[in-house]
């Protein structure tokens, strides 16, 4: 047997022995385990599953062991994820530190920053949020105006960020700030790590149409940030930001696998809720849309696999994450529309015992899906990036 076959068998055996039965079912949003100083577990099994994965290094399996990971190769980490999916294991931990900041620190951070922050991320001790967008900058991120002034041994940060996901629950924020107002936009930006408990930080949740308030506006009023929290060199934050965005786009392109959603697919919903004649869904137009959705999802999966194989062979195509982010988020919106179409009136429930848990998730999921094409960069801007970087078209 090959080494990866041996590892896969070992990982499967470990998962079967250590993942409690209650953690082998589709994830429910209220039961996600997020990192943080105030981390909570909804049941003992969730706590046990998290602790076992943490101790095994499986919260961040492809990180080096000295930072809390399992030191797995990309191929081994992929095999582990596949075996977790086969068994239906829930993710043991959620955090932007795992998905975005951690990989950025591995690439751009110094050793002191890695040793201070990465183990805490791996152990789920600190919850991170992202301070990029600003009201005045719109989609032109490089036009940000939140500033950090050099005060000798620290920076003094003033300004505001918007659409800061879960800022009201975060312990730290990784933040883009302007440190040189006289430089060309991208050349005067720095990347700071800021403790949300610092005096001068005020967070205001923003009500969403889905009934939730996971987005926030974050204000900084003379916030002191130690110089050691500057990642990379002064005024070189744009390079860090672009590197981090690669991981965000990859996350967005793969969205759906770990996102709480109804326990049935659009095809299953169609079979359950729509009229069937001669073994076929009666609505031919909807039937065609369902087939197209299934084909697109299959194509997305195959493209992810091809992209992984290309990376492993050293021939990674940097344009694929750009394209997949756009296609993936658009298809998640399409999936939400299909679910509404299949459930009809049963998909319009907001609350009440006359609806099942799956049915109640449909409308909220449809409303939330509209954020998919905004988060991680709007799809309109994404198309511009694809046109320029992937297709070589003029500005």
């Amino acid at each position: 047997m090959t080494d990866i076959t041996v590892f896969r068998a070992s990982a499967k055996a470990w998962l079967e022995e250590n993942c409690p039965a209650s953690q082998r079912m589709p994830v429910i949003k209220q039961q996600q385990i997020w990192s943080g100083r105030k981390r909570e577990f909804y049941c003992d099994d969730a706590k046990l599953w998290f602790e076992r994965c943490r101790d095994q290094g499986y919260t961040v399996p492809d990180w080096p062991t000295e930072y809390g990971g399992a030191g797995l190769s990309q191929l081994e980490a992929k095999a582990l994820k596949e075996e977790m999916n086969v068994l239906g294991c829930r993710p043991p931990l959620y955090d932007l530190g795992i998905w975005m900041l951690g990989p950025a620190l591995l690439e751009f951070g110094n050793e002191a920053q890695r040793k201070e922050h990465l183990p805490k991320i791996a152990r789920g001790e600190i919850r991170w949020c992202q301070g990029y967008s600003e009201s005045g900058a719109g989609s032109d991120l490089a036009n940000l105006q939140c500033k950090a002034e050099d005060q000798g041994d620290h920076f003094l940060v003033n300004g505001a960020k918007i659409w800061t996901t879960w800022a009201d629950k975060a312990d730290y924020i990784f933040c883009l700030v302007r440190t040189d107002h006289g430089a060309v936009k991208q050349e005067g930006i720095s990347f700071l790590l800021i403790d949300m408990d610092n005096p001068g930080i005020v967070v205001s949740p923003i009500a969403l149409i889905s009934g939730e308030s996971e987005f926030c506006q974050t204000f900084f009023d003379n916030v002191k940030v130690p110089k050691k929290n500057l990642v990379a060199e002064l005024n070189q934050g744009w390079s860090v930001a672009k590197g981090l965005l690669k991981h965000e786009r990859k996350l967005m392109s793969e969205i759906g696998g770990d996102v709480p959603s109804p326990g049935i697919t659009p095809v299953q919903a169609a079979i359950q809720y729509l009229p069937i004649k001669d073994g076929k869904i009666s609505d031919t137009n909807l039937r065609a849309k369902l087939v197209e959705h299934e084909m697109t999802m299959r194509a997305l999966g195959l493209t992810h696999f091809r992209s992984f194989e290309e990376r492993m062979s050293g021939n990674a195509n940097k344009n694929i994450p750009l394209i997949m982010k756009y296609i993936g988020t658009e298809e998640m919106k399409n999936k939400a529309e299909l679910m509404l179409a299949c459930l009809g009136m049963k998909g319009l429930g907001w609350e009440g015992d006359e609806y099942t848990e799956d049915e109640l998730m449909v409308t909220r999921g449809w409303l939330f899906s509209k954020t998919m094409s905004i988060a991680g960069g709007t799809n309109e801007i994404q198309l511009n990036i694809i046109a320029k970087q992937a297709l070589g078209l003029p500005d």
Side-chain angles (χ1 to χ4, degrees):
M1 291 189 293
T2 63
D3 290 343
I4 192 61
T5 303
V6 173
F7 171 80
R8 184 183 292 274
S10 174
K12 180 179 180 180
W14 187 90
L15 292 170
E16 289 177 340
E17 181 180 350
N18 288 279
C19 185
S22 67
Q23 302 304 295
R24 303 185 189 188
M25 56 184 65
V27 65
I28 299 172
K29 193 162 192 175
Q30 293 77 8
Q31 296 178 355
Q32 290 177 320
I33 306 303
W34 284 85
S35 297
R37 294 167 178 157
K38 300 177 181 178
R39 183 182 61 234
E40 296 181 353
F41 298 94
Y42 71 95
C43 73
D44 291 340
D45 276 354
K47 185 173 185 290
L48 179 64
W49 174 229
F50 158 73
E51 290 175 344
R52 286 174 174 174
C53 287
R54 175 201 63 194
D55 296 344
Q56 191 75 3
Y58 282 175
T59 56
V60 284
D62 56 348
W63 288 13
T65 55
E66 60 264 34
Y67 304 133
L72 301 185
S73 67
Q74 289 189 25
L75 197 59
E76 289 170 334
K78 179 175 180 289
L80 174 65
K81 184 174 182 179
E82 289 171 350
E83 291 303 320
M84 291 181 71
N85 289 339
V86 169
L87 198 60
C89 303
R90 289 183 172 184
L93 191 64
Y94 288 78
D95 186 40
L96 294 187
I98 292 174
W99 307 320
M100 297 164 64
L101 177 64
L105 285 181
L106 285 169
E107 183 176 359
F108 297 99
N110 58 44
E111 188 60 15
Q113 291 167 342
R114 295 190 193 110
K115 287 182 176 179
E116 178 180 358
H117 297 291
L118 294 181
K120 293 177 182 178
I121 293 172
R123 296 192 298 263
E125 296 173 358
I126 298 295
R127 184 168 179 172
W128 288 85
C129 62
Q130 179 184 24
Y132 273 26
S133 298
E134 295 184 11
S135 298
S139 295
D140 183 13
L141 178 60
N143 197 35
L144 62 90
Q145 297 301 311
C146 183
K147 64 181 180 179
E149 298 175 296
D150 192 332
Q151 299 293 311
D153 64 341
H154 67 274
F155 294 103
L156 201 62
V157 178
N158 285 278
K161 297 291 179 178
I162 200 165
W163 311 124
T164 321
T165 305
W166 296 132
D168 56 334
K169 301 180 184 301
D171 303 306
Y172 264 79
I173 182 171
F174 50 93
C175 198
L176 290 180
V177 293
R178 186 159 298 284
T179 45
D180 186 348
H181 282 271
V184 176
K185 290 191 299 185
Q186 288 89 341
E187 296 178 3
I189 293 173
S190 296
F191 192 101
L192 290 182
L193 310 178
I194 304 175
D195 191 329
M196 294 292 281
D197 282 344
N198 279 342
I201 298 179
V202 176
V203 177
S204 178
I206 301 170
L208 305 179
I209 57 174
S210 62
E212 300 176 338
S213 298
E214 66 180 63
F215 291 151
C216 302
Q217 190 164 16
T218 307
F219 301 92
F220 302 91
D221 183 11
N222 288 329
V223 177
K224 293 183 178 180
V225 181
K227 284 286 187 69
K228 68 175 184 177
N229 287 9
L230 172 68
V231 178
E233 299 297 324
L234 186 70
N235 299 322
Q236 298 300 309
W238 192 248
S239 296
V240 184
K242 289 192 297 181
L244 188 144
L245 283 173
K246 290 188 301 184
H247 302 290
E248 183 178 20
R249 287 170 182 146
K250 181 176 182 293
L251 172 68
M252 294 301 298
S253 73
E254 296 174 351
I255 196 109
D258 296 339
V259 175
S261 59
I264 56 176
T265 66
V267 170
Q268 291 169 333
I271 295 172
Q272 181 176 338
Y273 290 92
L274 295 176
I276 304 293
K277 183 178 181 181
D278 298 328
K280 298 179 181 179
I281 299 167
S282 299
D283 188 332
T284 56
N285 184 49
L286 183 54
R287 193 167 72 223
K289 291 181 179 179
L290 288 166
V291 170
E292 185 176 0
H293 169 67
E294 289 293 308
M295 292 172 64
T296 300
M297 295 303 291
R298 176 64 172 163
L300 282 167
L302 290 171
T303 306
H304 277 302
F305 181 76
R306 176 169 64 86
S307 177
F308 175 82
E309 292 293 311
E310 289 174 345
R311 290 201 310 273
M312 292 301 297
S313 66
N315 296 308
N317 185 336
K318 64 181 181 180
N319 294 322
I320 287 183
L322 299 175
I323 298 168
M324 294 293 280
K325 190 274 180 186
Y326 171 76
I327 297 174
T329 52
E330 284 295 306
E331 196 56 35
M332 290 307 296
K333 290 198 299 181
N334 181 49
K335 178 182 177 180
E337 295 280 355
L338 287 173
M339 289 296 293
L340 272 183
C342 292
L343 267 68
M345 293 297 291
K346 278 294 186 179
L348 299 179
W350 196 254
E351 58 186 6
D353 295 336
E354 64 271 29
Y355 298 98
T356 68
E357 196 67 36
D358 281 344
E359 290 167 352
L360 288 174
M361 293 183 72
V362 170
T363 296
R364 295 177 189 271
W366 172 72
L367 291 169
F368 182 78
S369 73
K370 305 307 177 185
T371 69
M372 300 283 192
S373 55
I374 300 174
T378 67
N379 277 5
E380 290 79 8
I381 296 298
Q382 194 68 18
L383 287 174
N384 285 342
I385 296 173
I386 291 169
K388 183 176 180 180
Q389 295 187 18
L391 301 179
L393 300 177
D395 291 338

